[in-house]
Amino acid sequence: MTDKKIEMIDVNKWFDDFHVLKNINLTVKAGERVVICGPSGSGKSTVVRCINRLEEHQSGVIRVDGVELTNDKAAIATIRSEVGMVFQQFNLFPHLSVLDNLILGPMKARGLSRADATDRAMHYLERVRIPEQAGKRPAQLSGGQQQRVAIARSLTMEPKVMLFDEPTSALDPEMISEVLDVMVSLARDGMTMIVVTHEMGFARKVADQMIFMDGGEIVESGPPEPFFTAAKSARCQKFLSQILQH
Amino acid sequence: MKILLALLTLLFLSSCASSDIWGWYVIDPTTKNGWINIKFLINGMGNTILVSLIAAGFSIALGLLVALPALSHRRWLRIINRIYVEFVRSIPLLPMLFWVFYGLPIIFKSMGLDIPIDPFWGAVITLALSDSAFTAEIYRSGIQSIARGQTEAARTIGLSYAQTMRYVILPQAIRRILPPLANQFIYIVKMSAFASVIGMQELTRRANELVVSEYRPLELYTFLILEYLVLVLIISAGVRWLERRMGADERN
Ligand SMILES: Nc1ncnc2c1ncn2[C@@H]1O[C@H](COP(=O)(O)OP(=O)(O)O)[C@@H](O)[C@H]1O
Ligand SMILES: [Mg+2]
């Protein structure tokens, strides 16, 4: 156990001969919120996906709660059990009801009884404020509701770290705030979070650390205050001025 | 059904027009001999259906086993799948049947195993093997049609590979897999006719035997074809029913 929940040290990754991550260094302490932004294709998703081994890095060290990510299956399983992830496209299981989406992990991966898993699932559905939708299929819900279910599904595994990969980018504008509200309340409760997003209002509210990526590199990083007002690099300034206009 | 009726009418008409080439008496149910012949022919139905069902069962299991390596991110596993599928698909059924029926027992014997292969099991093994290449492809495309995000979401909530397949991928893939799989059953039924060559008492074998004693190939093979036609029409109706059900499931 360590104060550092996530450590990435000189991480490099290639897709065949395309160098997608270049010397990524990142430390996230317990309870810290990190927001990553940057143009499309800059490697934001890949960074996040390396942390729970949806992608494999080729050099450097990634540690989650002190456990190093290697090809060791046990280490990967341990890390996945501590890291929750929310995807842009929700990725709910369409053939299962909302409740069944939530109890699958606790029952099959954690060995909880159906009754215990259901209690836990209802607790987190209340947390994201849609307990009344438990019996529905995902397709019957709005996008905002689906994403809240996806957040609840991750929370039922009681992770120590939550990763969000553009959780509101696939949503209609009027649904963005209901999802961000849930994320803000998670942050208030002290969840360690890495959030890839372009919602700068949210970033200002919760971020302890801002990261700007471009071309597979971390170009700029630091606390929100100098980051938003006095970005050092021209690339970051330009990017911020573009997205802050909207 | 309409086609069947039209065909029967056509045959009836032509038999009236030129009674010298047709001799329907061999299977005329109103005569004692004709009725015995009909019973003899139709009795092959049981074996045709049984051999097809058992072969289909094995093929469905074997096909899944063959399809799984195709979904791996490891190249060599995918290559093994490709070799199996291409190899099995390219062997004509009859040589494969001969190899299994006459050749396989010799291999067994050389390994010190005394496993006799009778015509029934020879046919089952051959049909299952041959069909497994096709069922494997049906599984592969069905499973690949389920978005990658589903696997990733399952992995992030801690499910193992087997659990991901069992609870997330297969239940979704099944509605895309089942109709073509049922359709593939038609292939097995038709190919089971080859089992007549190694002496299995199924529809084709029975017709052949009767032709030898009755010298009425035109009528008997016509009857044989109609037997297969009825069988296949029933299966197709089943497939269409399945397709409608699976489609209805998908929409809710
Ligand atoms: N599986 C993959 N194979 C090859 N290239 C990929 C793959 N995934 C992503 N890439 C490429 O890597 C780069 C970074 O992708 P990504 O991390 O998704 O960027 P972002 O999330 O910042 O938009 C992009 O150029 C993308 O095309
Ligand atoms: Mg992305």
Side-chain angles (χ1 to χ4, degrees):
Chain A
M1 296 305 112
T2 156
D3 188 37
K4 294 175 182 164
K5 285 287 156 194
I6 296 172
E7 266 185 294
M8 299 179 89
I9 303 166
D10 289 330
V11 171
N12 282 278
K13 172 166 183 63
W14 286 263
F15 283 120
D16 297 321
D17 49 8
F18 173 56
H19 198 172
V20 57
L21 296 185
K22 299 169 187 159
N23 292 315
I24 300 294
N25 285 283
L26 172 66
T27 305
V28 185
K29 295 203 208 82
E32 216 180 3
R33 269 84 56 176
V34 176
V35 169
I36 305 179
C37 61
S40 162
S42 57
K44 308 178 298 293
S45 297
T46 309
V47 165
V48 165
R49 292 161 57 84
C50 279
I51 294 171
N52 62 1
R53 201 53 156 200
L54 290 179
E55 301 288 354
E56 204 173 307
H57 60 286
Q58 274 87 43
S59 77
V61 176
I62 301 180
R63 281 195 208 101
V64 178
D65 214 14
V67 179
E68 185 176 346
L69 260 179
T70 58
N71 278 327
D72 179 27
K73 288 232 167 70
I76 295 174
T78 309
I79 285 169
R80 284 207 178 127
S81 74
E82 295 184 356
V83 179
M85 175 139 178
V86 174
F87 301 86
Q88 181 176 348
Q89 302 296 340
F90 329 137
N91 293 348
L92 292 174
F93 308 131
H95 61 299
L96 299 177
S97 71
V98 165
L99 182 64
D100 287 341
N101 264 273
L102 266 64
I103 65 176
L104 187 61
M107 283 178 67
K108 302 302 168 191
R110 289 278 206 275
L112 261 62
S113 72
R114 178 173 290 271
D116 288 349
T118 305
D119 284 350
R120 193 188 275 195
M122 291 313 297
H123 169 76
Y124 286 109
L125 277 181
E126 268 155 35
R127 180 86 209 261
V128 299
R129 297 193 286 278
I130 37 173
E132 71 284 1
Q133 311 286 5
K136 289 196 183 158
R137 290 282 180 101
Q140 294 171 290
L141 306 184
S142 73
Q145 291 173 325
Q146 290 189 51
Q147 193 59 298
R148 285 188 279 153
V149 171
I151 294 172
R153 181 176 65 180
S154 284
L155 293 175
T156 59
M157 299 303 288
E158 316 211 305
K160 295 180 180 158
V161 178
M162 286 282 287
L163 308 175
F164 294 83
D165 189 3
E166 304 207 32
T168 58
S169 299
L171 297 178
D172 294 335
E174 71 272 18
M175 295 172 183
I176 291 177
S177 66
E178 66 188 66
V179 171
L180 292 180
D181 287 349
V182 166
M183 292 167 62
V184 169
S185 96
L186 264 182
R188 297 247 158 85
D189 288 355
M191 176 65 81
T192 309
M193 296 162 63
I194 298 185
V195 184
V196 177
T197 186
H198 292 160
E199 294 295 330
M200 289 303 135
F202 167 82
R204 277 186 211 271
K205 213 180 286 180
V206 306
D208 300 302
Q209 201 186 147
M210 290 297 305
I211 288 178
F212 171 73
M213 287 188 68
D214 194 12
E217 291 172 302
I218 293 181
V219 175
E220 185 131 357
S221 68
E225 220 11 83
F227 183 88
F228 282 114
T229 48
K232 285 183 233 96
S233 73
R235 275 191 286 180
C236 188
Q237 282 169 6
K238 183 158 168 265
F239 176 79
L240 285 175
S241 75
Q242 276 170 355
I243 61 168
L244 288 174
Q245 274 168 9
H246 307 304
Chain B
M1 266 335 202
K2 272 183 210 146
I3 305 169
L4 197 67
L5 282 177
L7 213 69
L8 284 172
T9 320
L10 198 76
L11 286 172
F12 179 73
L13 288 177
S14 60
S15 71
C16 297
S18 47
S19 50
D20 52 328
I21 57 164
W22 294 92
W24 286 111
Y25 67 87
V26 280
I27 48 166
D28 179 353
T30 59
T31 68
K32 185 160 170 276
N33 193 46
W35 180 236
I36 289 173
N37 283 349
I38 286 183
K39 279 203 293 192
F40 179 77
L41 291 169
I42 288 181
N43 267 341
M45 190 75 85
N47 260 342
T48 292
I49 293 174
L50 196 63
V51 88
S52 304
L53 278 178
I54 297 178
F58 280 116
S59 167
I60 283 169
L62 187 59
L64 181 58
L65 226 60
V66 172
L68 290 180
L71 306 163
S72 167
H73 59 270
R74 292 204 184 82
R75 227 171 92 84
W76 63 272
L77 281 174
R78 292 202 305 269
I79 289 175
I80 287 178
N81 163 276
R82 276 343 292 169
I83 291 175
Y84 181 95
V85 169
E86 295 302 334
F87 182 75
V88 171
R89 251 197 328 211
S90 63
I91 309 171
L93 198 87
L94 203 50
M96 201 197 289
L97 186 67
F98 288 151
W99 191 89
V100 167
F101 186 62
Y102 298 108
L104 202 53
I106 299 176
I107 292 184
F108 283 156
K109 199 167 285 171
S110 78
M111 299 191 320
L113 301 165
D114 186 27
I115 308 174
I117 294 182
D118 64 11
F120 184 85
W121 286 103
V124 166
I125 294 171
T126 309
L127 289 169
L129 268 180
S130 158
D131 192 52
S132 67
F134 297 94
T135 48
E137 289 293 276
I138 291 171
Y139 279 115
R140 186 180 60 77
S141 67
I143 291 172
Q144 279 175 344
S145 73
I146 305 302
R148 214 176 82 178
Q150 292 287 304
T151 315
E152 293 182 347
R155 304 319 281 277
T156 57
I157 57 163
L159 300 189
S160 68
Y161 174 79
Q163 289 172 329
T164 302
M165 276 290 162
R166 163 82 180 74
Y167 299 109
V168 176
I169 306 301
L170 287 180
Q172 293 183 65
I174 202 83
R175 59 191 53 165
R176 301 183 197 182
I177 288 171
L178 228 44
L181 223 46
N183 211 26
Q184 192 59 25
F185 187 55
I186 293 172
Y187 168 87
I188 293 197
V189 167
K190 291 200 286 190
M191 290 299 155
S192 73
F194 280 113
S196 63
V197 180
I198 55 170
M200 196 182 95
Q201 288 289 327
E202 43 64 75
L203 289 177
T204 305
R205 176 76 181 191
R206 297 232 152 178
N208 274 339
E209 288 184 359
L210 216 52
V211 165
V212 172
S213 58
E214 297 279 1
Y215 307 110
R216 275 287 168 193
L218 182 56
E219 297 75 14
L220 291 169
Y221 288 136
T222 303
F223 188 80
L224 176 63
I225 284 173
L226 291 178
E227 285 180 299
Y228 280 112
L229 190 64
V230 169
L231 209 52
V232 168
L233 284 176
I234 292 173
I235 302 169
S236 315
V239 173
R240 276 201 304 281
W241 174 82
L242 206 59
E243 270 168 353
R244 272 200 307 278
R245 259 208 60 179
M246 295 286 140
D249 252 24
E250 189 128 356
R251 264 174 265 122
N252 74 43

